[in-house]
Amino acid sequence: MSRVEGLRADSSQFTLEGEPFRILGGSIHYFRVPRAHWEDRLLRMKACGLNTLTTYVPWNLHEPEKGTFNFQDQLDLKAFINLAAETGLWVILRPGPYICAEWDLGGLPSWLLQDKDMQLRTTYPGFVNAVNLYFDTLVAVIKPLMFEEGGPIIAVQVENEYGSYAKDESYMPFVRNCLQSRGIKELLLTSDNWEGLSYKGVEGVLKTVNLQRLSFGAIQHLAEMQPQKPLMVMEYWSGWFDVWGEHHHVFHAEELLERGVSINLYMFHGGTSFGFMNGAMDYGTYKPQISSYAKPLPEVPSPCERRVYAPVTIQQHLSLWDSLHFTDKPFRSEKPVTMENLPVNNNNGQSYGYTLYETIITCGGTLNSKNNIRDRALVFVDRQCVGTLDYKTHELALPDGKGEMTLSLLVENCGRVNYGKALDEQRKGIVGDILLNHTPLRGFTIFCLDMKPCFMKRLMSSGQWKSDVKLPSIPGFFQARLYVEGPPKDTFIKLHDWGKGAVFVNGQNLGRHWFIGPQHHLYLPGPWLRSGENQIIVFEEQKADDKIVFAENPDHGKTIDVYKLPFCTLL
């Protein structure tokens, strides 16, 4: 059923269906919340008195390979939006193509970086063509959900925080036209922080602002830029992301509603960056973000039941080296090749996880990465670990030996930067020459270890697992079995006595663990467990315990008040 008049911004107050309307919104990302919990999270939002859901759309999940689209199951965007409508919520959609969101490469697919000349977020032809093909499919999904068509979507955001990037004046009009030319007629918005708010606007598009603290100066500035237009804080940051090795960030509540401003709480419910999908920040120093994107939920309606399962004992282990024949066929190259340019995944390259580079050396000496490791490498000589290379450590002494020795570099993509000017430089793996005694290494055999479900399935069915857990091989995979009686419930895995790696439950990648914190838990959704036997596999790089422990509540680590940090550190 079509409607007459959707959301309008023709005066100092929004109107919807011709009546004054104030947006009281909250963000929930469907791709960060198990589908079985979508309804619960949306009901909590409605119970808090909010009237509008906002969500990003991650291009890199919906088009993981060029021309291959996925809008099913966990990524069923249509079902999520329809569920919001059934809950009584309007929707503001934020389809990008860039979304930031503390998500790998800001939601852009890594296969875009196969083009050595790629200029992301510009009108560079290679990027424009990819966006057009993506929007052809995406808009076909979302157009029937627009207000005009009888759906709940009352506004659509054009890109995200482009004012602080601003590399191409033609880009934002291009994205606007991508939407309008495909039949999107609802109100269009942009969203910028203080830094980007001064960037010139896009004709016919309403500016909104993002804030991490109460700033009537910013709101006043927005009012002066758009006289007689409604004021909206598109992201009022109710939480902040954490990076490995630092404290957990917390906010204190403030009052913003007295000004009559429309507001969207970012996030209402953060969820989890499952798997290897976390982003990273780089303002001169690269810092990968953790898996948790959560803020505690209100206690209405009744909370989801959780369970503390009894600890489970590690039963078997398999060394990394014994797992290599379960990977795709290794690639041989004279020079190092980045993850994105490996001939895997139907020639779309490797997006996430680890890549193993091996070559033959005949002597020890000084290994120099020339800062070409992205992002962290464990270094082995004849499969014995001799040290680590990363952004801070570029040199390593290799031991002398007799005859030929195998040099192995297990390189981890810790997460692509999701915000800032460095998006075009987010290729991962080994991105240039590695020197041994000033001579570039050559003759590499390269293994893709993205640890996708197909690899984990082959791994789990292997008969090569060893039961002598007192002499484990590290790095390696460690297996335990959890028996669940009755309906499964949410829980948290605690890994205090482990080192660094990732956790898989029934083939699902929960995310990374690292002893440096601040996060010392991984969220395990009840819907990902099954009654009866469940398989848990920990990939461990450094130090393994003999058991896995569960907890009812998360451990976010030591906290720091965000308001005590300098303002510039939050931009």
Side-chain angles (χ1 to χ4, degrees):
M1 183 181 75
S2 62
R3 296 164 175 149
V4 178
E5 185 175 86
L7 188 67
R8 297 289 183 266
D10 299 327
S11 66
S12 60
Q13 188 173 22
F14 286 113
T15 60
L16 181 61
E17 297 181 302
E19 298 294 328
F21 182 73
R22 186 179 185 184
I23 297 168
L24 299 175
S27 291
I28 299 176
H29 297 158
Y30 58 99
F31 48 94
R32 280 184 161 123
V33 178
R35 181 168 179 167
H37 286 338
W38 284 354
E39 183 176 16
D40 172 80
R41 304 318 191 243
L42 293 171
L43 285 171
R44 291 170 185 270
M45 175 178 283
K46 184 67 176 177
C48 286
L50 303 184
N51 58 26
T52 304
L53 164 73
T54 68
T55 188
Y56 282 129
V57 181
W59 181 5
N60 54 10
L61 291 187
H62 287 295
E63 192 181 1
E65 297 179 3
K66 283 178 280 190
T68 301
F69 298 94
N70 182 5
F71 286 89
Q72 303 298 317
D73 303 321
Q74 182 65 45
L75 297 177
D76 193 337
L77 176 60
K78 180 179 179 180
F80 182 65
I81 292 174
N82 281 332
L83 189 57
E86 293 170 13
T87 310
L89 295 166
W90 299 109
V91 176
I92 296 177
L93 196 67
R94 311 175 77 187
Y98 164 84
I99 62 172
C100 184
E102 287 64 61
W103 195 253
D104 190 273
L105 203 60
L108 301 176
S110 64
W111 48 256
L112 291 168
L113 298 175
Q114 290 184 322
D115 181 348
K116 63 181 178 60
D117 299 318
M118 175 58 66
Q119 299 171 45
L120 302 173
R121 304 180 74 191
T122 70
T123 51
Y124 174 74
F127 188 69
V128 164
N129 292 339
V131 170
N132 274 319
L133 289 172
Y134 171 54
F135 270 40
D136 283 345
T137 299
L138 174 63
V139 173
V141 173
I142 63 175
K143 189 174 183 296
L145 304 170
M146 296 293 148
F147 181 91
E148 181 189 50
E149 305 282 343
I153 300 177
I154 56 174
V156 179
Q157 185 174 301
V158 181
E159 236 265 352
N160 189 57
E161 295 186 323
Y162 194 73
S164 56
Y165 195 74
K167 288 190 175 182
D168 184 343
E169 290 187 358
S170 301
Y171 174 65
M172 287 295 281
F174 158 70
V175 179
R176 175 199 61 196
N177 293 340
C178 278
L179 296 166
Q180 292 180 334
S181 66
R182 290 169 173 81
I184 300 301
K185 299 177 182 178
E186 306 306 332
L187 180 68
L188 299 181
L189 313 165
T190 59
S191 171
D192 283 290
N193 58 27
W194 177 266
E195 176 191 5
L197 197 58
S198 58
Y199 179 71
K200 71 175 187 177
V202 183
E203 184 178 353
V205 179
L206 182 72
K207 280 177 172 280
T208 69
V209 67
N210 300 339
L211 299 172
Q212 90 284 349
R213 63 182 69 178
L214 191 61
S215 175
F216 291 127
I219 294 169
Q220 186 60 37
H221 182 50
L222 179 63
E224 292 170 355
M225 294 179 73
Q226 297 182 137
Q228 291 304 303
K229 292 289 183 182
L231 300 172
M232 180 169 183
V233 179
M234 177 58 76
E235 294 183 8
Y236 185 64
W237 299 326
S238 53
W240 197 250
F241 58 84
D242 295 332
V243 298
W244 291 110
E246 298 185 5
H247 288 171
H248 172 57
H249 297 85
V250 295
F251 273 96
H252 294 294
E254 292 182 320
E255 179 60 59
L256 190 67
L257 300 179
E258 292 178 358
R259 280 290 299 265
V261 175
S262 285
I263 185 173
N264 175 57
L265 299 176
Y266 190 90
M267 301 287 294
F268 174 78
H269 170 58
T272 303
S273 301
F274 291 110
F276 297 131
M277 299 308 301
N278 62 277
M281 56 187 293
D282 189 345
Y283 303 110
T285 302
Y286 173 84
K287 296 180 179 181
Q289 292 149 359
I290 66 172
S291 298
S292 178
Y293 205 55
K295 181 177 173 61
L297 291 166
E299 294 298 320
V300 287
S302 58
C304 292
E305 187 179 345
R306 297 174 182 173
R307 182 178 297 175
V308 181
Y309 296 102
V312 293
T313 302
I314 299 299
Q315 298 173 330
Q316 294 178 307
H317 67 93
L318 182 69
S319 78
L320 170 72
W321 317 110
D322 290 338
S323 75
L324 293 179
H325 64 277
F326 296 113
T327 67
D328 292 334
K329 182 180 178 181
F331 176 64
R332 290 173 173 82
S333 173
E334 188 65 9
K335 295 183 177 181
V337 175
T338 65
M339 270 189 180
E340 295 79 8
N341 284 296
L342 290 176
V344 297
N345 297 315
N346 299 314
N347 287 317
N348 285 273
Q350 179 181 348
S351 295
Y352 317 106
Y354 298 77
T355 307
L356 180 68
Y357 297 80
E358 292 193 326
T359 188
I360 300 299
I361 59 175
T362 57
C363 65
T366 302
L367 189 69
N368 190 325
S369 72
K370 305 293 289 185
N371 198 24
N372 286 324
I373 298 293
R374 298 290 185 277
D375 299 296
R376 186 176 183 272
L378 294 180
V379 182
F380 304 84
V381 175
D382 285 340
R383 299 186 169 174
Q384 297 298 310
C385 188
V386 296
T388 304
L389 296 171
D390 55 23
Y391 284 93
K392 296 179 180 178
T393 303
H394 300 165
E395 286 193 355
L396 193 62
L398 301 186
D400 288 319
K402 295 181 179 180
E404 292 185 343
M405 299 175 287
T406 300
L407 175 68
S408 307
L409 294 95
L410 180 63
V411 183
E412 180 189 7
N413 166 7
C414 296
R416 293 182 182 85
V417 167
N418 56 269
Y419 178 85
K421 305 285 188 180
L423 290 180
D424 292 337
E425 284 77 55
Q426 293 308 302
R427 293 168 185 86
K428 298 296 184 178
I430 298 180
V431 300
D433 281 335
I434 306 294
L435 309 183
L436 177 57
N437 300 327
H438 308 289
T439 301
L441 294 171
R442 292 291 183 262
F444 287 90
T445 301
I446 307 172
F447 298 83
C448 168
L449 285 157
D450 50 12
M451 301 186 189
K452 286 187 171 181
C454 55
F455 169 78
M456 298 306 297
K457 186 176 181 179
R458 292 195 294 268
L459 198 70
M460 290 187 288
S461 62
S462 167
Q464 298 182 18
W465 290 84
K466 295 179 174 61
S467 299
D468 184 4
V469 295
K470 293 182 179 179
L471 295 171
S473 177
I474 292 180
F477 298 88
F478 295 79
Q479 184 176 173
R481 298 186 185 278
L482 170 66
Y483 190 84
V484 174
E485 294 184 2
K489 305 297 181 184
D490 285 7
T491 190
F492 293 89
I493 291 178
K494 301 189 73 171
L495 295 154
H496 280 294
D497 294 320
W498 294 76
K500 184 181 187 302
V503 180
F504 303 81
V505 176
N506 296 330
Q508 294 268 16
N509 189 340
L510 298 190
R512 307 173 207 262
H513 67 277
W514 197 355
F515 73 92
I516 65 173
Q519 177 178 324
H520 292 291
H521 72 280
L522 282 170
Y523 170 51
L524 173 51
W528 289 5
L529 293 169
R530 49 183 174 247
S531 297
E533 190 173 85
N534 296 267
Q535 188 174 52
I536 302 177
I537 293 179
V538 179
F539 174 66
E540 179 54 56
E541 302 176 26
Q542 297 177 336
K543 180 186 70 168
D545 193 13
D546 62 357
K547 62 183 178 301
I548 296 171
V549 178
F550 300 90
E552 182 178 3
N553 296 306
D555 176 5
H556 292 294
K558 294 181 179 179
T559 63
I560 185 171
D561 191 336
V562 174
Y563 290 147
K564 295 179 180 178
L565 297 175
F567 178 75
C568 61
T569 66
L570 301 178
L571 294 178

